Amino acid sequence: MIVIARMNADHVEGFHAVLDTVAREHRYLAFLQAPSLLQTADFVLECTQNDDPQFVALDRQRVVGWCDIVRHKRPVHRHCGTLGIGLHPDYRGRGIGSRLATRAIVEANNAGIDRIELTVFTTNTEAIRLYRKLGFKSEGRHPKAACIDGEYVSTMTMALVSVAD
């Protein structure tokens, strides 16, 4: 059974490991390997201090995925956050990403984040399908936005904007 839990310091090493696994696939993230363990710990601590929604998927105690929404720093953009998500390859296609993102989105909205943005490689059709299912709308396409292993990849920006009642 996979449990979705708020990330804390105890999850840093597991988060770092799954982040590195996904990064080294060279298909989904904007970096090719995880930042150092120290940088990853600093990121988790900063998110915790800022009350940014940050969740992990746990198989027993093993971190197998994550989703975070990092609030923008500038005062005029504090109502906006950027979503990051990833799953270990062995855990994809089970609805875990949807559970992680839904939990993070609810927490973000409760924290006053009314606009959630993301950037996705256009080749990542499964993620795009998930984001659309969650209500994200495409806001633009960026040809040749990345070059991975000598191949250009386009990206798409998407956003989910809360509408006040």
Side-chain angles (χ1 to χ4, degrees):
M1 176 181 205
I2 303 298
V3 174
I4 307 302
R6 187 173 293 280
M7 192 182 304
N8 63 48
D10 294 336
H11 301 125
V12 169
E13 286 187 33
F15 168 51
H16 181 263
V18 73
L19 176 64
D20 194 55
T21 297
V22 175
R24 288 179 188 273
E25 289 181 277
H26 295 194
R27 298 179 58 206
Y28 304 112
L29 301 179
F31 42 93
L32 305 177
Q33 66 184 41
S36 72
L37 183 57
L38 180 60
Q39 289 170 312
T40 302
D42 288 345
F43 171 75
V44 171
L45 178 61
E46 183 177 355
C47 288
T48 301
Q49 290 172 339
N50 292 334
D51 286 329
D52 292 337
Q54 192 174 39
F55 294 91
V56 289
L58 300 170
D59 184 356
R60 294 186 177 90
Q61 296 302 314
R62 178 181 175 214
V63 176
V64 299
W66 79 91
C67 184
D68 50 56
I69 300 174
V70 178
R71 188 185 294 268
H72 293 192
K73 307 269 185 271
R74 294 187 179 181
V76 298
H77 297 291
R78 295 280 301 156
H79 65 288
C80 302
T82 300
L83 184 140
I85 188 170
L87 284 171
H88 188 281
D90 295 342
Y91 289 83
R92 295 180 186 142
R94 301 185 194 180
I96 299 167
S98 180
R99 290 175 55 204
L100 276 165
T102 298
R103 180 88 182 268
I105 290 165
V106 167
E107 289 291 322
N109 291 154
N110 290 342
I113 298 174
D114 297 318
R115 177 184 169 82
I116 301 168
E117 305 164 340
L118 61 87
T119 301
V120 60
F121 294 134
T122 57
T123 53
N124 193 350
T125 57
E126 290 299 315
I128 293 168
R129 186 177 301 118
L130 168 64
Y131 301 141
R132 286 186 173 140
K133 181 180 114 180
L134 293 170
F136 283 81
K137 305 290 185 215
S138 175
E139 293 190 331
R141 185 180 170 99
H142 310 276
K144 292 185 174 183
C147 186
I148 301 173
D149 298 330
E151 298 286 325
Y152 289 112
V153 183
S154 298
T155 62
M156 176 188 308
T157 53
M158 302 180 82
L160 177 63
V161 181
S162 299
V163 178
D165 293 323

Coordinates of all heavy atoms in Angstrom, one line a residue, residues 112-149:
G112 N -3.2 29.6 0.0 CA -3.3 30.9 -0.7 C -2.6 30.9 -2.0 O -2.4 32.0 -2.6
I113 N -2.2 29.8 -2.5 CA -1.5 29.7 -3.8 C -2.7 29.5 -4.8 O -3.3 28.4 -4.9 CB -0.5 28.6 -3.9 CG1 0.6 28.8 -2.9 CG2 0.1 28.4 -5.3 CD1 1.7 27.7 -2.8
D114 N -3.0 30.5 -5.6 CA -4.1 30.5 -6.5 C -3.7 30.2 -8.0 O -4.6 30.0 -8.8 CB -4.8 31.9 -6.5 CG -5.4 32.2 -5.1 OD1 -5.9 31.3 -4.5 OD2 -5.2 33.3 -4.6
R115 N -2.4 30.2 -8.2 CA -2.0 29.8 -9.6 C -0.8 28.9 -9.4 O 0.2 29.2 -8.8 CB -1.5 31.1 -10.3 CG -0.9 30.8 -11.7 CD -0.4 32.1 -12.4 NE 0.3 31.8 -13.5 CZ -0.2 31.6 -14.8 NH1 -1.5 31.6 -14.9 NH2 0.6 31.3 -15.8
I116 N -0.9 27.7 -10.1 CA 0.1 26.7 -10.0 C 0.6 26.5 -11.4 O -0.2 26.2 -12.3 CB -0.4 25.4 -9.4 CG1 -0.9 25.6 -8.0 CG2 0.7 24.3 -9.4 CD1 -1.7 24.5 -7.4
E117 N 1.9 26.6 -11.6 CA 2.5 26.6 -12.9 C 3.4 25.3 -13.0 O 3.9 24.8 -12.0 CB 3.3 27.8 -13.2 CG 2.6 29.1 -13.0 CD 3.4 30.3 -12.9 OE1 4.6 30.2 -12.6 OE2 2.9 31.4 -13.1
L118 N 3.7 24.9 -14.2 CA 4.7 23.8 -14.5 C 5.2 23.9 -15.9 O 4.6 24.6 -16.7 CB 4.0 22.5 -14.2 CG 2.9 22.0 -15.1 CD1 3.3 21.4 -16.3 CD2 2.0 21.1 -14.3
T119 N 6.3 23.3 -16.1 CA 6.9 23.1 -17.4 C 7.1 21.7 -17.6 O 7.6 21.0 -16.7 CB 8.2 23.9 -17.5 OG1 8.0 25.3 -17.3 CG2 8.8 23.8 -18.9
V120 N 6.7 21.1 -18.8 CA 6.8 19.7 -19.1 C 7.4 19.5 -20.5 O 7.1 20.3 -21.4 CB 5.4 19.0 -18.9 CG1 4.4 19.6 -19.8 CG2 5.5 17.5 -19.1
F121 N 8.2 18.5 -20.7 CA 8.7 18.2 -22.0 C 7.5 17.7 -22.8 O 6.7 16.9 -22.3 CB 9.8 17.1 -22.0 CG 11.0 17.5 -21.3 CD1 11.7 16.7 -20.4 CD2 11.6 18.8 -21.6 CE1 12.9 17.1 -19.8 CE2 12.8 19.2 -21.0 CZ 13.4 18.3 -20.1
T122 N 7.4 18.2 -24.0 CA 6.2 17.8 -24.9 C 6.2 16.3 -25.2 O 5.2 15.7 -25.6 CB 6.2 18.6 -26.2 OG1 7.4 18.4 -26.9 CG2 5.9 20.1 -25.9
T123 N 7.4 15.6 -25.0 CA 7.5 14.2 -25.2 C 6.9 13.4 -24.1 O 6.7 12.2 -24.2 CB 9.0 13.8 -25.4 OG1 9.7 14.3 -24.4 CG2 9.5 14.3 -26.8
N124 N 6.6 14.0 -23.0 CA 6.1 13.4 -21.8 C 4.6 13.4 -21.8 O 3.9 14.0 -21.0 CB 6.7 14.1 -20.5 CG 6.4 13.3 -19.3 OD1 5.7 12.3 -19.2 ND2 7.0 13.8 -18.2
T125 N 4.1 12.6 -22.7 CA 2.6 12.6 -23.0 C 1.8 12.1 -21.8 O 0.7 12.6 -21.5 CB 2.3 11.8 -24.2 OG1 2.8 10.5 -24.1 CG2 2.9 12.4 -25.5
E126 N 2.3 11.1 -21.0 CA 1.6 10.7 -19.8 C 1.4 11.8 -18.8 O 0.4 11.9 -18.2 CB 2.3 9.4 -19.2 CG 2.2 8.2 -20.1 CD 0.8 7.7 -20.3 OE1 0.0 7.7 -19.3 OE2 0.5 7.4 -21.5
A127 N 2.5 12.5 -18.6 CA 2.4 13.6 -17.6 C 1.4 14.7 -18.1 O 0.6 15.2 -17.3 CB 3.8 14.3 -17.4
I128 N 1.5 15.0 -19.4 CA 0.6 16.0 -19.9 C -0.9 15.6 -19.8 O -1.8 16.3 -19.4 CB 0.9 16.3 -21.4 CG1 2.3 17.0 -21.5 CG2 -0.2 17.2 -22.1 CD1 2.9 17.1 -22.9
R129 N -1.1 14.3 -20.0 CA -2.5 13.7 -19.8 C -2.9 13.9 -18.4 O -4.1 14.3 -18.1 CB -2.5 12.3 -20.2 CG -3.9 11.6 -20.2 CD -3.9 10.2 -20.7 NE -3.4 10.1 -22.0 CZ -2.4 9.4 -22.4 NH1 -1.7 8.7 -21.5 NH2 -2.0 9.3 -23.6
L130 N -2.0 13.6 -17.4 CA -2.3 13.8 -16.0 C -2.7 15.2 -15.7 O -3.7 15.5 -15.0 CB -1.2 13.3 -15.1 CG -1.3 13.6 -13.6 CD1 -2.5 13.0 -13.0 CD2 0.0 13.3 -12.9
Y131 N -1.8 16.1 -16.1 CA -2.0 17.5 -15.8 C -3.3 18.0 -16.4 O -4.1 18.8 -15.7 CB -0.8 18.4 -16.3 CG 0.5 18.0 -15.8 CD1 1.6 18.0 -16.6 CD2 0.7 17.6 -14.5 CE1 2.9 17.6 -16.1 CE2 1.9 17.2 -14.0 CZ 3.0 17.3 -14.8 OH 4.2 16.9 -14.3
R132 N -3.7 17.6 -17.6 CA -5.0 18.0 -18.1 C -6.1 17.5 -17.3 O -7.1 18.2 -17.1 CB -5.0 17.6 -19.6 CG -4.2 18.5 -20.5 CD -4.4 18.1 -22.0 NE -3.7 19.1 -22.8 CZ -3.0 18.8 -23.8 NH1 -2.9 17.6 -24.3 NH2 -2.3 19.8 -24.5
K133 N -6.0 16.2 -16.9 CA -7.0 15.6 -16.0 C -7.2 16.4 -14.7 O -8.3 16.5 -14.2 CB -6.6 14.2 -15.7 CG -7.6 13.4 -14.9 CD -7.2 12.0 -14.6 CE -6.9 11.8 -13.2 NZ -6.4 10.5 -12.8
L134 N -6.1 17.0 -14.2 CA -6.2 17.7 -13.0 C -6.7 19.2 -13.2 O -6.8 19.9 -12.3 CB -4.8 17.8 -12.3 CG -4.3 16.4 -11.8 CD1 -2.8 16.5 -11.4 CD2 -5.1 15.9 -10.6
G135 N -6.9 19.6 -14.5 CA -7.4 20.9 -14.8 C -6.4 21.9 -15.3 O -6.7 23.1 -15.5
F136 N -5.1 21.5 -15.5 CA -4.1 22.4 -16.0 C -4.4 22.7 -17.5 O -4.9 21.8 -18.2 CB -2.7 21.8 -15.9 CG -2.1 21.9 -14.5 CD1 -2.5 20.9 -13.6 CD2 -1.2 22.8 -14.2 CE1 -2.0 20.9 -12.3 CE2 -0.7 22.9 -12.9 CZ -1.1 21.9 -12.0
K137 N -4.2 23.9 -17.9 CA -4.4 24.4 -19.3 C -3.0 24.8 -19.8 O -2.2 25.3 -19.2 CB -5.3 25.6 -19.3 CG -6.6 25.4 -18.7 CD -7.5 24.5 -19.4 CE -8.9 24.4 -18.8 NZ -9.5 23.1 -18.9
S138 N -2.8 24.4 -21.1 CA -1.6 24.8 -21.8 C -1.5 26.3 -22.0 O -2.5 26.9 -22.4 CB -1.5 24.1 -23.2 OG -0.4 24.5 -23.9
E139 N -0.4 26.9 -21.7 CA -0.2 28.3 -21.9 C 0.9 28.7 -23.0 O 1.1 29.8 -23.3 CB 0.2 29.0 -20.6 CG -1.0 28.9 -19.6 CD -0.7 29.8 -18.4 OE1 0.4 30.0 -18.0 OE2 -1.7 30.3 -17.8
G140 N 1.5 27.6 -23.5 CA 2.4 27.9 -24.6 C 3.4 26.8 -24.8 O 3.6 25.9 -23.9
R141 N 3.9 26.8 -26.0 CA 4.9 25.7 -26.4 C 6.2 26.4 -26.7 O 6.2 27.5 -27.2 CB 4.4 25.0 -27.6 CG 5.2 23.9 -28.0 CD 4.6 23.2 -29.3 NE 5.5 22.3 -29.9 CZ 5.4 21.0 -29.7 NH1 4.4 20.5 -29.0 NH2 6.3 20.2 -30.3
H142 N 7.3 25.8 -26.3 CA 8.6 26.4 -26.4 C 9.6 25.4 -27.2 O 10.1 24.5 -26.6 CB 9.2 26.8 -25.1 CG 8.3 27.5 -24.2 ND1 8.1 28.9 -24.3 CD2 7.3 27.1 -23.3 CE1 7.2 29.3 -23.5 NE2 6.7 28.2 -22.9
P143 N 9.7 25.6 -28.5 CA 10.5 24.7 -29.3 C 12.0 24.8 -28.9 O 12.5 25.9 -28.6 CB 10.3 25.3 -30.8 CG 9.1 26.1 -30.7 CD 9.0 26.6 -29.3
K144 N 12.6 23.6 -29.0 CA 14.0 23.5 -28.7 C 14.4 24.2 -27.3 O 15.5 24.8 -27.2 CB 14.9 24.1 -29.8 CG 14.8 23.4 -31.1 CD 15.8 24.0 -32.1 CE 15.9 23.2 -33.3 NZ 16.9 23.8 -34.3
A145 N 13.6 24.0 -26.3 CA 13.8 24.6 -25.0 C 14.9 23.9 -24.2 O 15.5 24.5 -23.3 CB 12.5 24.7 -24.2
A146 N 15.2 22.7 -24.6 CA 16.2 21.9 -23.9 C 17.0 21.1 -24.9 O 16.4 20.8 -26.0 CB 15.6 21.0 -22.8
C147 N 18.2 20.7 -24.5 CA 19.0 19.9 -25.4 C 19.5 18.8 -24.4 O 20.3 19.1 -23.5 CB 20.1 20.6 -26.1 SG 21.0 19.6 -27.2
I148 N 19.1 17.6 -24.6 CA 19.4 16.4 -23.8 C 20.1 15.4 -24.6 O 19.5 14.9 -25.6 CB 18.2 15.9 -23.0 CG1 17.5 16.9 -22.2 CG2 18.6 14.7 -22.2 CD1 16.2 16.5 -21.6
D149 N 21.3 15.1 -24.3 CA 22.1 14.1 -25.0 C 22.1 14.4 -26.5 O 22.0 13.5 -27.3 CB 21.5 12.7 -24.8 CG 21.6 12.2 -23.3 OD1 22.5 12.7 -22.6 OD2 20.7 11.4 -22.9

